[in-house]
Amino acid sequence: MINSGSGAAYDVESLWQKFEAWLRRHAPEDHKALRPGASAAKLARLEKGIGFPVNDDLLLLLSKHNGVVPRRSSVEAGAFLLGYSLLDTDGILEWQRHLASTAREAVEDGYEEEVVGRTAHDRWVPFAQSLTGDLLFIDHRGEHYGDIGELSFGDPEFRWLGPGIGAVLHDLCESVEGMSPLRRLGRRPSIHEGRMLEWVAG
């Protein structure tokens, strides 16, 4: 896991403010890429489209910033979450439906054990995407509720990143403030051209 202790309580709003303030100072183009927050109506449409209540921490982040300006290349800013860009409500709904459809088709075709809960699930809600289409998602299943996973298409199983958005933000803040690596993930922060945060191997 990324984190410092499963089960710890984190103030997601304060952690996000801390991380955003760091971006403003050290990665100004990343900060500029953040879009205005989603309205209550958009958040309601998201939940209605998904069909179940969305994790409160994710709703909080969306209320502050409804994703980032879409990137067209790796030299554009906005991929400050471990190389992933925050999705807006439309993107979240689109990807959640895709994962739900993939899981449903796997059951229908007899591949449930290989797919469901490993590379797709209808209770996974993606919230960030890389240029290659890989995803970060928040789990909405019972005992796994709130867990953050990384889904790299082509890999046989997702990678667990931490027990919630708060835990992940906590460790990202510590990493960028000390410019120290997230060792388990094999990634370290780097500021590119004084304008954007990158995560590089090491």
Side-chain angles (χ1 to χ4, degrees), residues 60-135:
L60 173 64
L61 292 188
L62 288 168
S63 72
K64 294 185 174 300
H65 296 288
N66 191 20
V68 298
V69 176
R71 302 170 75 224
R72 295 181 297 275
S73 75
S74 60
V75 299
E76 294 184 346
F80 46 77
L81 287 181
L82 299 172
Y84 292 81
S85 299
L86 290 171
L87 291 166
D88 63 11
T89 53
D90 290 339
I92 288 172
L93 180 56
E94 178 182 354
W95 274 109
Q96 189 275 332
R97 286 175 170 171
H98 173 75
L99 293 183
S101 175
T102 299
R104 183 172 58 253
E105 290 172 4
V107 173
E108 294 170 352
D109 294 340
Y111 295 103
E112 181 175 0
E113 289 188 6
E114 292 89 344
V115 174
V116 179
R118 300 186 70 185
T119 61
H121 200 285
D122 63 355
R123 304 289 291 193
W124 289 355
V125 178
F127 65 92
Q129 179 185 12
S130 72
L131 277 175
T132 58
D134 296 341
L135 299 168

Side-chain angles (χ1 to χ4, degrees), residues 5-194:
S6 175
Y10 295 97
D11 183 341
V12 172
E13 184 164 12
S14 294
L15 285 167
W16 176 257
Q17 289 174 350
K18 186 177 182 181
F19 185 62
E20 187 176 339
W22 186 92
L23 290 177
R24 186 184 299 111
R25 294 192 305 271
H26 302 285
E29 289 192 17
D30 280 329
H31 186 264
K32 186 178 178 181
L34 288 162
R35 299 171 66 180
S39 66
K42 285 187 176 181
L43 295 177
R45 282 198 297 272
L46 173 64
E47 290 192 301
K48 182 178 180 181
I50 288 178
F52 53 81
V54 173
N55 179 273
D56 287 344
D57 290 340
L58 180 53
L59 292 177
L60 173 64
L61 292 188
L62 288 168
S63 72
K64 294 185 174 300
H65 296 288
N66 191 20
V68 298
V69 176
R71 302 170 75 224
R72 295 181 297 275
S73 75
S74 60
V75 299
E76 294 184 346
F80 46 77
L81 287 181
L82 299 172
Y84 292 81
S85 299
L86 290 171
L87 291 166
D88 63 11
T89 53
D90 290 339
I92 288 172
L93 180 56
E94 178 182 354
W95 274 109
Q96 189 275 332
R97 286 175 170 171
H98 173 75
L99 293 183
S101 175
T102 299
R104 183 172 58 253
E105 290 172 4
V107 173
E108 294 170 352
D109 294 340
Y111 295 103
E112 181 175 0
E113 289 188 6
E114 292 89 344
V115 174
V116 179
R118 300 186 70 185
T119 61
H121 200 285
D122 63 355
R123 304 289 291 193
W124 289 355
V125 178
F127 65 92
Q129 179 185 12
S130 72
L131 277 175
T132 58
D134 296 341
L135 299 168
L136 299 182
F137 67 86
I138 183 165
D139 206 326
H140 285 67
R141 295 176 294 171
E143 64 179 304
H144 301 287
Y145 188 84
D147 284 0
I148 304 300
E150 180 179 29
L151 187 59
S152 297
F153 292 102
D155 286 355
E157 193 157 5
F158 78 93
R159 184 179 196 177
W160 186 74
L161 297 188
I165 288 176
V168 172
L169 281 176
H170 172 270
D171 291 341
L172 289 182
C173 285
E174 286 202 338
S175 180
V176 296
E177 287 180 343
M179 295 306 287
S180 56
L182 292 168
R183 296 191 184 282
R184 181 183 177 278
L185 298 184
R187 304 175 201 177
R188 60 179 174 81
S190 175
I191 301 173
H192 180 67
E193 297 179 344

